[in-house]
Amino acid sequence: RFQESVEETLGAPASADFLHFLGSYLGLPFVESEFTKAVEDDPQGFATLSRSVLRRWFEADAAKRPFVLFIEDLHAAAEGFLDLLEYLASSLKGVPVLIVVSTRPELVATRATWLSAGGDRHARIDLAPLSGDDAASLLYRLLEPLTLGPLGEVPGELVDAAVQAAGGTPYLL
């Protein structure tokens, strides 16, 4: 199915060499060509070519239909993935691709270049912690299915303690 998708996007003749490089991101082996064998002994060259192939595939796909790439919890990603995503954010141009990531502030503290990756096409939206009332409302809604069973009503003291401990962070709630 992946091969069919790549062939549909790039055309059958062009996709043969692309499949080997794109498949490496997904752990899908494809038959090597003379072209791919030329870089197999050069890990740095292979990595550079692989990310260029991935960028070109995204550009070709987005030229046919816009798409959104959504990555959650980017702060937990490996350095290699962060490098790849930063490369894509700075090099994808002229095509309708929207890259949306969610991350904790630690990413910006450890990788300041992330904020400039997309240049003027990059927008940062900081979410403030929930207010105490909003956090309590969220927690009650999260616990609502449990209150229908034998647990009954959730004690207000428990909700207050959880809201205080979470500090307005929905993930911690």
Side-chain angles (χ1 to χ4, degrees):
R1 294 182 90 166
F2 179 68
Q3 183 173 352
E4 288 172 6
S5 174
V6 172
E7 288 174 355
E8 177 188 325
T9 301
L10 299 171
S15 67
D17 288 324
F18 274 57
L19 279 170
H20 181 71
F21 294 103
L22 294 172
S24 69
Y25 286 108
L26 303 171
L28 298 173
F30 287 96
V31 176
E32 292 183 341
S33 67
E34 291 305 314
F35 176 70
T36 59
K37 287 179 185 176
V39 294
E40 71 182 357
D41 293 333
D42 179 7
Q44 186 175 2
F46 185 88
T48 300
L49 194 51
S50 290
R51 72 182 197 172
S52 295
V53 164
L54 183 63
R55 177 190 48 81
R56 179 64 194 117
W57 184 51
F58 280 165
E59 288 171 346
D61 193 44
K64 293 181 177 193
R65 57 190 165 268
F67 72 89
V68 176
L69 181 59
F70 183 79
I71 297 135
E72 192 171 9
D73 296 333
L74 189 62
H75 55 275
E79 284 296 316
F81 183 75
L82 292 172
D83 292 340
L84 175 63
L85 194 57
E86 192 169 332
Y87 165 77
L88 290 172
S90 63
S91 65
L92 283 169
K93 296 178 182 156
V95 291
V97 175
L98 175 63
I99 301 173
V100 179
V101 300
S102 68
T103 187
R104 297 189 55 82
E106 297 90 73
L107 177 69
V108 177
T110 59
R111 196 176 182 103
T113 58
W114 176 253
L115 293 177
S116 60
D120 62 349
R121 299 170 297 130
H122 182 139
R124 175 180 173 176
I125 302 171
D126 289 313
L127 301 179
L130 296 174
S131 69
D133 289 343
D134 288 340
S137 177
L138 174 63
L139 191 53
Y140 277 118
R141 287 184 184 198
L142 290 171
L143 294 173
E144 188 174 340
L146 299 175
T147 62
L148 300 176
L151 293 179
E153 193 171 323
V154 176
E157 300 83 25
L158 177 65
V159 171
D160 292 342
V163 166
Q164 184 175 357
T169 304
Y171 175 76
L172 297 177
L173 291 172

